[in-house]
């Protein structure tokens, strides 16, 4: 299994889902998952999805610039993503970056 290919496939799936149906991200998080968003720590799948679906915009389009990954202990991966976020009705895209840490043993399990 090529870690770069896994990371890129995950990132594509994550942001495509985010842009089309943020509630659909629920199955990518677990009860122990944590999201830190602008200093606020949010834990658990339901709470994370509630935060993401409550963001003050309805439509957006992510454009990914970089996907860098490193293996982490116990079969996991650390993925750094950067790119731009275009909000509907806005002239200029916003730059963003996100760090994702996940376990390959639980990835894509429904």
């Amino acid at each position: 299994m090529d870690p770069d290919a896994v990371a890129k496939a995950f990132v594509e799936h994550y942001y495509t889902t985010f842009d089309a149906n943020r509630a659909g991200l629920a199955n990518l998080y677990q009860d122990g998952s944590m999201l830190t968003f602008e200093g606020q720590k949010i834990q658990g799948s339901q709470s994370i999805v509630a935060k993401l679906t409550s963001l003050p915009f309805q439509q957006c389009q992510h454009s990914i610039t970089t996907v860098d990954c490193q293996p982490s202990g116990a079969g996991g991966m650390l993925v750094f993503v950067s790119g731009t976020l275009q909000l509907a009705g806005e002239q200029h895209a916003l730059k963003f970056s996100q760090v994702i840490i996940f376990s390959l043993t639980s990835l894509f399990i429904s």
Side-chain angles (χ1 to χ4, degrees):
M1 170 179 1
D2 176 14
D4 290 323
V6 171
K8 288 178 182 177
F10 177 82
V11 166
E12 182 178 330
H13 175 71
Y14 184 90
Y15 290 106
T16 298
T17 304
F18 188 107
D19 294 347
N21 174 25
R22 283 178 248 170
L25 294 172
N27 65 345
L28 297 179
Y29 293 102
Q30 300 174 356
D31 290 338
S33 297
M34 181 170 282
L35 170 73
T36 304
F37 186 88
E38 296 180 342
Q40 179 185 13
K41 293 182 185 333
I42 304 137
Q43 187 167 7
S45 179
Q46 290 181 339
S47 297
I48 292 170
V49 171
K51 174 63 178 179
L52 296 177
T53 57
S54 73
L55 293 173
F57 53 88
Q58 298 304 311
Q59 296 179 330
C60 65
Q61 179 65 47
H62 286 86
S63 178
I64 305 304
T65 305
T66 63
V67 177
D68 297 315
C69 72
Q70 296 290 325
S72 65
M77 292 185 69
L78 181 139
V79 181
F80 177 78
V81 182
S82 69
T84 59
L85 172 64
Q86 183 67 51
L87 300 177
E90 295 292 326
Q91 182 177 3
H92 300 288
L94 303 169
K95 292 185 179 190
F96 81 93
S97 62
Q98 184 171 7
V99 174
I100 302 167
I101 302 170
F102 62 84
S103 168
L104 293 175
T105 57
S106 62
L107 183 61
F108 301 118
I109 295 175
S110 53

